[in-house]
Amino acid sequence: MKALKAANRLGVVFFPAFDWAISPTHPERQERLLYTQDQLREEGIFDIEGITEFKPDVATPLDVYRSHFVFPSVEQVVTDSHFISAGGAIKSARLLMEKRVDRAFALVRPPGHHAMLTVHGSRGFCTINIESVMVEYLREHYGIRRVAIVDTDCHHGDGSQDIYWHDPDVLYISMHQDGRTLYPGTGFPDELGGPGARGATVNIPLPPGTCDEGFLYALDNIVLPLLDRFKPELIINSAGQDNHYSDPITTMNFSAQGYAELTRRLKADIAVLEGGYSIQGALPYVNLGLCLAMAGVDTSQVREPDYRPERFVQKPRITEYTHSLAEQLMAFLDNIPSMPDDGEVDGEWFVREHRVYYDTDGISERRKDKVRLCPDCAGVLVVECRSSLNPLSLGVRVPFGACPRCQEEGRRLYEVAARKGSPYRYVQIIDRVNKVYEHWGD
């Protein structure tokens, strides 16, 4: 019998986080990956030539500070498991950039796509955004600039969207269950990014009950054309698996075969596990399909034990809705309003206020974001926030490619805020031009 060989060398980075769970019976616990590990070994996936398992790296506080304003500090908020989960994503990126693999899949937990630019604790089972930590590591160490993140988790990745809201060089696309029916209640088509990054955020809210047909139609008619237009250097898949028909906390009808086909068509360079809570019924089969599809190996025999195609024929109204959504969304993206309608212009700044609730930790946050309306770059960003856990704090972000004026203004704002007598308890600067990541406070 001829041995199987992968068309694409695939690196699988595995970390189940044995010592971390929200509670012993919470859906986000170590069994999410232990059943997958058993299934992959039982199917002999690592016997396929070209598919190799790797151990994760460990992310550092500096890696986290490139992506987040963390109050009071990274060391006081982030656990060892989160550092290793993010390190697993970084290891996947390093394997790819060092040309040791053609594609990589970070099968790690805890997940991250609900972790926002500011971090006071955990929300949506997430503390730090592991995809963003990985992307910013890539951009700093390998000179990568244009990245596309395609989020296929059933829940809208509001954290990833928030981090890249003002970044025109990161295209964030989220396919998810309509926010009117599921946490976090966001992710609508009019959420398009900040003034200097309009259209770099794209949301595709799909109705409950969407099957393989609807997901693949949205991929072919929205996602792939946008990727072709954007021309990223790398494609990252936030590979949430809670769109599966057996997931206990969502109401979609995606199958392991559908996930495998989506993965084959998307051709992501790196996939990072996000949600998915059908521990026995879905994850072992979906992850097997993803691994085989990324490796370019036949997936036609991947099936859940209870899968019956006749049970998952998409309703005509959902098909009609999905087709209409694709047509209207693509037309809308060709005529984007120049300014968001969720804030106001104050001199040379665009100001936006919003509230964030950390449902996992029960923390409430109030934020005011100010981005400079700069004709020469994406603009320095200033974030002022307070939460039920932390007093008034400030973050300043100087983006890649910032002009001299924005660099100077960012540094000035940080130095003024980080003085004795300042109203801010904690102050942090993320300066991507000069690679300066400082934080101040007691």
Side-chain angles (χ1 to χ4, degrees), residues 197-209:
R198 303 292 282 159
T201 295
V202 178
N203 286 294
I204 308 170
L206 297 171

Side-chain angles (χ1 to χ4, degrees), residues 148-296:
I149 301 173
V150 179
D151 193 330
T152 51
D153 191 284
C154 195
H155 303 84
H156 174 234
D158 53 347
S160 299
Q161 173 173 291
D162 184 54
I163 291 170
Y164 292 110
W165 189 252
H166 296 289
D167 193 330
D169 291 324
V170 176
L171 174 63
Y172 177 70
I173 304 175
S174 179
M175 279 200 300
H176 50 267
Q177 184 174 322
D178 194 312
R180 293 171 294 182
T181 67
L182 191 69
Y183 176 90
T186 53
F188 300 105
D190 63 344
E191 297 167 28
L192 295 162
R198 303 292 282 159
T201 295
V202 178
N203 286 294
I204 308 170
L206 297 171
T210 300
C211 299
D212 294 5
E213 177 188 344
F215 281 97
L216 297 175
Y217 186 88
L219 178 77
D220 288 342
N221 292 276
I222 305 173
V223 177
L224 295 183
L226 291 175
L227 291 174
D228 186 60
R229 183 186 302 179
F230 185 73
K231 295 182 171 37
E233 297 169 69
L234 288 176
I235 298 173
I236 312 300
N237 178 203
S238 287
Q241 299 169 13
D242 39 8
N243 285 298
H244 193 268
Y245 62 80
S246 66
D247 198 273
I249 63 174
T250 64
T251 51
M252 293 299 223
N253 282 328
F254 213 21
S255 72
Q257 270 292 303
Y259 271 108
E261 182 59 21
L262 182 147
T263 302
R264 186 188 68 80
R265 297 185 194 183
L266 181 59
K267 296 181 173 62
D269 298 287
I270 303 170
V272 179
L273 181 67
E274 277 294 340
Y277 306 99
S278 178
I279 291 171
Q280 292 175 276
L283 267 68
Y285 310 99
V286 174
N287 283 316
L288 174 63
L290 262 68
C291 286
L292 293 175
M294 292 189 79

